[in-house]
Each structure stands twice: as structure tokens, then as C-alpha cells.
Amino acid sequence: MSDHVQASRPAPRTDRRPLVRLEGVQKHFGALHVLKDIDLTIAEGEVVVVIGPSGSGKSTLCRTINRLETIDSGRITIDGKDLPAEGKGLAKLRSDVGMVFQSFNLFAHKTVRENVTLGPIKVRGVSAAEAGKRADELLARVGLASQGPKYPAQLSGGQQQRVAIARALAMDPKVMLFDEPTSALDPEMINEVLDVMAGLAKEGMTMVVVTHEMGFARRAADRVVFMADGRILEDTDPETFFTAPEHERAKDFLSKILTH
């Protein structure tokens, strides 16, 4: 992963309001305790990158924020409101919390443009004309202005993932969650997706990013959260984390990935 783009992030401001808050969150899968007493606050406009070894609970943490995974105890709030359990409240929450997964989850039988307009029309009640105009703007923003009439199968993996980002942005979310968005991509496609994400970060989008891409973490994050064995062990700025991590687990993790 190259550091060819040294994106200048504005200095984190302490006066920003908390947008996502996890307090004392516990989660089990059967006997496996995957999230252990998680406390995490993400402010509006902040980019938080979550890293750690496989099985550390990163993706589960990400998926609890829009209730794709339920929690056993603790509390999660978005913009001061508790996560709704189900029904219309949950649908509204999910439209406020954009999510981009490892797999692109696009509708194969709909065009790229239709994939981006579907949510705003169905969920937000936006007119087809307005949704189409916004879709065209977003496709241009992710570098796919000419791809609207195509079907997902006609695009590369990197292009499909950029469509998935445009689709999430079309809902005007308050926060964007990225769960290992480049891990299913061929190496030459990774940067085209990370560059779009770095652009969003510079524009002030609130983002939680689970990733193995350390170059992205260094250049785009306000904070790096390091997880191991279901716990948050470090929560600090990228420079401190990459040059002076405190925990042995973090040092060990970095020594393994940064020497390759």
C-alpha cells in the first residue's frame, strides 16, 4: 500500500459533538466472548480506523453500530439516540448509517445507476428525477461518471466497490461504516477504492473503517483503534500508534505487518 497521497487532515477538534457512542458493550457468539466491555466515542467528522489481528472483534464492532449484530449488554447511541430494536426505527437508523462491506452486495439485475437511486426512492421518498441527478453526481465523484447504464457484472471489483460507496452516500448518511472494503479486491484495485475513501475523509465525513491497509490508516485517520481478543488496547492518533505503540500486542502486530 503506497503512501503516495499525503492527504492533509484537519487537526481533530475537541468541540465536535459525539455522533457514535459505545458504552460497556459486550457480545458473545455462544461461548466465544467477541466484544469485551467496549467503550468508544466517535465525534462528528472524525475518521476512526480500527485495526488488529484476525478474530479480534473488529468487524463485529463495526456491525453492532447499525445493529447488523445485536449486543448482549451495554449501550450504543447514534446522535444521542439508542439503537432501535426493529421496525421502522431500525430502517431509519440504517439509512442514517451507510455501510460498505467486503463483498459489494449490488443488485445484479439492476444497472449501476439504479443501484444508487433505489434507496433514496424507496426509503427516503425522493423523486426518481432527483435521485437520478444525485446518483449521477455521486458516480462522477467516485470516478464512474460513464458507468451508470452498465450492470455490476460488467465492472471490475474496484469499480463495483466504488458503486457500493456511491450507493451508501446516496442516503446522505450521518456516518459511514467500512468493513474491510478492500480485502476482496485484487491489489491493483485497492488504491482506487482507498483514494475515494481518503477523499471522503478530507471532506469531513464521519467514518469508522475496519481495514488491513496501514497506509490508509496513516494518511486518512484521525484516530487508530487497535483491538485484540475482543478488547480495545490502543486508541490514539496514527503517528503515535505507528511509531510508539504502548501494548506488546500492538508492537507484535506492527512488527509482523510492517516488515513485509
Side-chain angles (χ1 to χ4, degrees):
M1 170 62 217
S2 70
D3 280 317
H4 66 285
V5 183
Q6 197 55 47
S8 56
R9 295 282 296 141
R13 296 205 322 261
T14 52
D15 58 344
R16 294 195 282 203
R17 68 193 173 106
L19 193 59
V20 179
R21 185 169 268 160
L22 292 83
E23 300 170 80
V25 169
Q26 308 277 357
K27 170 71 180 175
H28 293 78
F29 289 125
L32 191 63
H33 196 175
V34 286
L35 294 179
K36 301 172 183 172
D37 204 27
I38 297 291
D39 290 309
L40 181 65
T41 299
I42 295 141
E44 188 175 36
E46 194 170 33
V47 178
V48 175
V49 173
V50 184
I51 61 177
S54 294
S56 57
K58 309 181 299 288
S59 288
T60 304
L61 170 74
C62 191
R63 291 165 68 89
T64 61
I65 295 173
N66 70 347
R67 217 172 181 281
L68 281 174
E69 297 287 358
T70 56
I71 60 175
D72 300 329
S73 60
R75 187 181 183 204
I76 302 178
T77 56
I78 306 256
D79 214 1
K81 300 186 185 71
D82 286 286
L83 293 198
E86 54 197 26
K88 283 188 175 172
L90 185 57
K92 163 113 181 51
L93 165 90
R94 291 216 175 116
S95 66
D96 284 341
V97 181
M99 181 129 194
V100 178
F101 302 88
Q102 285 178 294
S103 53
F104 322 123
N105 295 356
L106 299 174
F107 293 111
H109 62 291
K110 293 193 179 295
T111 66
V112 163
R113 194 171 188 263
E114 288 168 341
N115 266 281
V116 180
T117 59
L118 191 66
I121 293 169
K122 294 272 193 212
V123 180
R124 297 273 199 225
V126 173
S127 72
E130 194 181 329
K133 183 169 177 283
R134 177 86 171 122
D136 292 340
E137 288 169 1
L138 288 169
L139 288 171
R141 182 174 173 185
V142 299
L144 298 170
S146 61
Q147 306 297 322
K150 291 187 178 174
Y151 287 87
Q154 296 173 281
L155 303 183
S156 71
Q159 288 173 321
Q160 289 186 60
Q161 192 60 296
R162 286 184 281 151
V163 173
I165 293 172
R167 180 180 60 179
L169 290 173
M171 299 298 286
D172 288 322
K174 292 176 179 175
V175 57
M176 287 276 284
L177 310 176
F178 294 87
D179 185 10
E180 302 199 12
T182 59
S183 61
L185 297 177
D186 292 332
E188 72 271 16
M189 295 174 192
I190 290 174
N191 275 341
E192 64 191 56
V193 174
L194 293 177
D195 286 344
V196 168
M197 292 167 59
L200 290 176
K202 269 171 65 175
E203 289 164 25
M205 171 63 74
T206 310
M207 295 162 62
V208 181
V209 183
V210 175
T211 186
H212 295 288
E213 297 295 335
M214 297 303 126
F216 176 82
R218 288 188 100 134
R219 79 182 202 230
D222 291 308
R223 280 159 59 205
V224 171
V225 168
F226 175 78
M227 291 185 71
D229 304 320
R231 297 187 189 280
I232 292 176
L233 296 185
E234 309 238 355
D235 181 351
T236 186
D237 65 278
E239 183 64 20
T240 302
F241 178 75
F242 285 106
T243 59
E246 288 183 11
H247 284 77
E248 286 305 317
R249 287 297 303 272
K251 290 174 188 170
D252 183 51
F253 176 78
L254 287 172
S255 73
K256 287 189 173 120
I257 56 163
L258 294 180
T259 49
H260 292 298

